[in-house]
Amino acid sequence: MKILIIEDNKDLQNSIVQYLINENYIVEIASDFLSASEKSEIYEYDCIIVDITLPDGNGLDIIKKLKKNNSKAGIIIISAKNSLDDKIIGLDIGADDYISKPFHIPELNARIKALIRRKNFNGKNEINIEGLTLLPEDRRVFVNETEVILTIKEYDLLLYFISNLNRTITKSSIAEHLWGDNADQFDSFDFIYSHLKNLRKKLDEKGCPDYISTVYGIGYIFKTT
């Protein structure tokens, strides 16, 4: 899962980033209004954490722009402002949750997980697709009740496909989702094929139908119908 942290306080920013990386998220950061606006417009995220007060603008304006562009990202506001008005305005314009500073980062993580479940998996803790079962909280995968051992990237790739069932996903979108800012360092998408080949092989060995198809010249689709 890919997260954007919009926060200008470096100490808090670093603490959140390190914690979420340890939780196996792909994490990107923006420390000001301009870079936050650019990143949120160009790239897709599962969740965006938005500080209201930024050095060169207001985080609420970023949320308005995200909703105007029909972003699928879940939005959590973090702010030192603890007034009811800020909370109401943020939720009214489209934010999904609000947490006041200071807060415990494990609580923020719990809210992120809950939001992603609501957005991508109808609030379910267990995802079932005709013999294929995922437990996102534990990052475990089963085929017909037999566990499949996947690498971090293989699991993230499978979860990304399932989050976009029956939708064609471009190779560039996969690269950005799984590697974040580091995706620009790759000269080709051969590494995606390598991870995909290993994922399909492991699922096939356990008897899982091959739901993944190549859309030539574009990318891939995880199709169940």
Side-chain angles (χ1 to χ4, degrees):
M1 291 294 170
K2 188 176 174 186
I3 312 291
L4 175 63
I5 309 296
I6 303 173
E7 169 61 59
D8 64 304
N9 183 304
K10 291 296 183 180
D11 290 336
L12 178 58
Q13 182 189 94
N14 292 337
S15 296
I16 296 174
V17 168
Q18 190 57 56
Y19 188 96
L20 295 183
I21 287 176
N22 289 338
E23 291 289 308
N24 294 309
Y25 291 104
I26 300 298
V27 184
E28 296 183 7
I29 59 174
S31 301
D32 54 60
F33 182 87
L34 180 59
S35 61
S37 296
E38 291 177 347
K39 284 198 170 189
S40 59
E41 284 188 10
I42 296 173
Y43 303 112
E44 293 184 359
Y45 299 93
D46 294 289
C47 185
I48 299 178
I49 313 300
V50 184
D51 185 8
I52 291 178
T53 307
L54 297 170
D56 52 345
N58 192 311
L60 295 176
D61 291 328
I62 293 173
I63 296 173
K64 291 176 183 177
K65 189 175 295 185
L66 285 167
K67 305 313 291 187
K68 181 180 179 181
N69 294 335
N70 298 314
S71 170
K72 290 176 56 183
I75 302 170
I76 300 177
I77 292 174
I78 57 173
S79 177
K81 295 181 177 180
N82 197 22
S83 73
L84 181 61
D85 288 344
D86 290 323
K87 184 175 183 178
I88 291 175
I89 292 172
L91 295 174
D92 278 349
I93 63 176
D96 299 283
D97 202 353
Y98 185 109
I99 187 169
S100 299
K101 299 177 184 176
F103 55 82
H104 295 291
I105 297 178
E107 180 186 354
L108 174 62
N109 183 40
R111 289 175 183 246
I112 292 171
K113 288 180 178 180
L115 179 53
I116 289 175
R117 283 199 304 271
R118 294 198 303 270
K119 286 281 186 179
N120 295 341
F121 311 120
N122 298 317
K124 297 179 180 178
N125 290 318
E126 182 176 301
I127 305 163
N128 293 288
I129 302 175
E130 299 175 22
L132 177 64
T133 300
L134 275 76
L135 304 178
E137 290 289 323
D138 301 319
R139 297 179 62 87
R140 299 176 71 187
V141 178
F142 297 83
V143 173
N144 299 321
E145 300 184 358
T146 300
E147 186 165 9
V148 184
I149 306 302
L150 302 177
T151 66
I152 291 174
K153 291 303 182 187
E154 290 164 1
Y155 175 85
D156 289 343
L157 179 58
L158 177 61
L159 191 62
Y160 187 46
F161 276 127
I162 291 175
S163 299
N164 293 274
L165 280 179
N166 303 315
R167 290 179 55 201
T168 298
I169 305 173
T170 65
K171 294 178 181 178
S172 59
S173 293
I174 293 173
E176 290 167 3
H177 191 86
L178 298 186
W179 282 270
D181 290 335
N182 295 324
D184 295 336
Q185 300 175 10
F186 299 107
D187 296 326
S188 72
F189 294 123
D190 291 344
F191 61 94
I192 294 177
Y193 175 76
S194 177
H195 287 294
L196 181 59
K197 179 180 178 181
N198 291 334
L199 172 62
R200 295 170 93 168
K201 181 174 183 288
K202 290 180 179 180
L203 294 177
D204 178 69
E205 288 175 346
K206 302 299 183 182
C208 181
D210 187 6
Y211 294 114
I212 304 169
S213 300
T214 300
V215 181
Y216 291 99
I218 301 176
Y220 304 95
I221 184 171
F222 191 103
K223 197 170 184 180
T224 58
T225 58

